[in-house]
Amino acid sequence: MLLTKAIRALPQTRSRFASATTARLFSETPVSVDVDHGKGQWKTYGGIEDYQPGMFHIKTFNKISPKGLAQFPKTLYDTGTDFDNAHAILLRSHKLQESDVPLTTRAIARCGAGTNNVPVDRMTELGIPVFNTPGANANAVKELILCGMFLGSRRVIDGINHMKKLGEEGVARERVEKDKSMFGGRELTGKTLAVIGLGHIGAATARDATDLGMKTVGYDPGLSVDSALKLPAGIKLHDSIVSAITNADYISINIPYIKGEGGTHGIIGKDVIEHMKSDAVLLNFARGELVDSVAMKEFLDTRGSDARYVSDFPDDELWDHRNAVILPHLGASTEEAEDAAASMAADTIRDFLETGTIKNSVNFPDTSLPDRPDNAVRFTIVNKNEPGKLAHIMEQFANFGLNILQQINTSRNEIAYNVVDVEAKPSDDRKDVLCFKKTQEAITMQEGVLSSRVLFGKAGMGYAKNIEGDYFV
């Protein structure tokens, strides 16, 4: 079908990054909120030499863009590589192990789209949201895909290497015109590009290809409204990969790599490759494992002798093939992309730590409440998504006589997440102090609850976990 009609956008939730609410959540108030239980053991937390009450500690792995780190206000945040009791983790390519994640960790954010280097399933079991930065590197990857299209159209690299050889022999000037016929090619204008996966990168690639005079077709069974609105008007959408690529001159793969049954490992296999045109250019700047290299090599050696394979992932089968161009993994390796990814990750972490909002998580549900009312204290609770758990949690608020002003309950697969604002009403015997110690413990120790937070008072405090029946604060 042709995407010729505007698609009506669903209501969009405005991202409420934390800068507007920081002062309200972590500042002096008429009453104090007491959530310091004093039960935690320093041998559990780690060393105390880097502990600073009233600060969030963000542990970083790899070199994180300074522009991204600058998103953390120094009055509330301390960032570094040596925290034993970090409240959140920020990383790029580091292969995160469970031993890297202290019990104090509330969240993990990767500066990039993929999270293959993070044990997401285990973090879900521990009740820790994992965030990524979809779209932050989209322009950088898109530009490399366009570069790959040009490299696949003409033997530019072969020509460069040939000229170096002629230069070494001292005959470059004499041969430059004579030898140019060895490296002929074709133009992009009028050719057809098939885009498999129409997210941030795929949609951007389709738009720019259209601007270059190309025809575009696409396939994405999970096409979102937001991505659909960004597609070029004339793109033709297909109902299968094979249907999309059959008559395509260029094919761009832009889908995530998912292991296991029903995943995307080797999704571009022999059954797909056999439908490619004999001179098609396959562009893989998504993940190397998406393409069956053996099947691709067989195609290039036989029917696809005029075809090309261009990728920025290592390939043991194709690295030295005459019709393959294998680049270093350069997709997001631009200063602009690293700045954008780090800034987005930092904003996401701040929003979660300061307001409880979840956006761009790969294992938790998107969750957002309006700003906490002035007369309220905010609780967040992570629990297993099982029948009856929410009722038991809400019952604890009632048992302690707390009036709920607003709440939201969301779930994603086996995880449920709750944000609850309760009225800040001091007790009769201590009108200057609100004490939630017993309330938080009662909630956290409910069967199926993994962790809870009280977002009020000093930054970094008010976190509790249920660790196999033991209360950790």
Side-chain angles (χ1 to χ4, degrees), residues 327-452:
L327 307 170
H329 185 45
L330 301 175
S333 295
T334 67
E335 181 179 347
E336 294 88 346
E338 291 180 5
D339 288 346
S343 296
M344 182 183 291
D347 283 340
T348 300
I349 287 290
R350 286 195 60 196
D351 216 19
F352 176 71
L353 292 179
E354 296 176 21
T355 72
T357 296
I358 292 180
K359 183 179 180 181
N360 296 330
S361 174
V362 300
N363 62 336
F364 270 55
D366 283 354
T367 309
S368 179
L369 264 185
D371 288 346
R372 175 182 59 81
D374 292 333
N375 64 329
V377 173
R378 176 162 291 183
F379 282 76
T380 69
I381 303 105
V382 179
N383 62 277
K384 296 178 181 178
N385 186 23
E386 298 174 353
K389 301 303 180 188
L390 179 60
H392 292 152
I393 292 170
M394 294 298 106
E395 184 180 1
Q396 299 309 310
F397 287 106
N399 289 344
F400 286 90
L402 295 175
N403 181 38
I404 295 175
L405 300 179
Q406 61 178 354
Q407 73 173 94
I408 187 171
N409 167 258
T410 57
S411 63
R412 180 173 179 176
N413 300 323
E414 64 268 32
I415 280 291
Y417 180 67
N418 309 274
V419 183
V420 182
D421 287 346
V422 299
E423 186 176 8
K425 184 179 180 181
S427 61
D428 293 335
D429 55 338
R430 297 186 68 189
K431 295 185 180 297
D432 61 332
V433 177
L434 292 172
C435 184
F436 291 110
K437 295 178 183 178
K438 294 182 180 179
T439 306
Q440 186 174 21
E441 183 172 359
I443 291 171
T444 306
M445 296 312 294
Q446 289 294 306
E447 183 180 355
V449 172
L450 301 176
S451 66
S452 67

Side-chain angles (χ1 to χ4, degrees), residues 149 186 188 190-196 214-219 236 238 240-253 272-283 299 303 306-308:
M149 291 171 64
R186 66 188 185 194
L188 299 181
K191 303 303 188 296
T192 298
L193 168 67
V195 183
I196 309 303
M214 301 184 75
K215 302 172 185 176
T216 55
V217 300
Y219 169 73
K236 184 178 181 181
H238 288 260
S240 71
I241 295 177
V242 169
S243 175
I245 63 100
T246 297
N247 296 308
D249 303 294
Y250 299 82
I251 303 162
S252 179
I253 308 301
V272 173
I273 293 172
E274 66 184 7
H275 291 278
M276 288 170 51
K277 294 176 66 173
S278 61
D279 60 350
V281 176
L282 179 62
L283 304 142
F299 171 69
R303 188 174 65 85
D306 292 326
R308 302 284 187 275

Side-chain angles (χ1 to χ4, degrees), residues 149-322:
M149 291 171 64
F150 289 114
L151 292 177
S153 299
R154 306 187 186 191
R155 291 192 176 275
V156 176
I157 295 177
D158 292 341
I160 292 171
N161 292 333
H162 182 69
M163 290 303 294
K164 287 182 177 179
K165 181 180 178 182
L166 294 182
E168 291 174 355
E169 297 172 355
V171 296
R173 292 184 181 277
E174 291 81 1
R175 298 278 295 277
V176 65
E177 289 294 330
K178 180 179 179 181
D179 290 0
K180 67 181 182 181
S181 60
M182 299 167 56
F183 309 104
R186 66 188 185 194
E187 299 178 9
L188 299 181
T189 302
K191 303 303 188 296
T192 298
L193 168 67
V195 183
I196 309 303
L198 295 166
H200 293 283
I201 297 170
T205 301
R207 289 197 307 273
D208 281 15
T210 300
D211 291 341
L212 289 171
M214 301 184 75
K215 302 172 185 176
T216 55
V217 300
Y219 169 73
D220 190 334
L223 182 63
S224 69
V225 171
D226 183 57
S227 294
L229 288 168
K230 296 176 182 178
L231 295 176
I235 190 171
K236 184 178 181 181
L237 301 180
H238 288 260
D239 59 4
S240 71
I241 295 177
V242 169
S243 175
I245 63 100
T246 297
N247 296 308
D249 303 294
Y250 299 82
I251 303 162
S252 179
I253 308 301
N254 306 285
I255 56 179
Y257 176 61
I258 303 172
K259 296 180 180 179
E261 185 177 355
T264 57
H265 184 91
I267 193 169
I268 308 300
K270 186 175 181 179
D271 58 333
V272 173
I273 293 172
E274 66 184 7
H275 291 278
M276 288 170 51
K277 294 176 66 173
S278 61
D279 60 350
V281 176
L282 179 62
L283 304 142
N284 179 14
F285 292 88
R287 278 287 180 265
E289 297 89 344
L290 296 171
V291 176
D292 183 335
S293 298
V294 174
M296 191 67 207
K297 184 176 184 299
E298 180 182 352
F299 171 69
L300 294 176
D301 286 340
T302 55
R303 188 174 65 85
S305 59
D306 292 326
R308 302 284 187 275
Y309 177 66
V310 186
S311 178
D312 67 340
F313 290 93
D315 196 298
D316 294 338
E317 294 287 338
L318 297 166
W319 66 272
D320 63 345
H321 198 285
R322 181 177 182 272

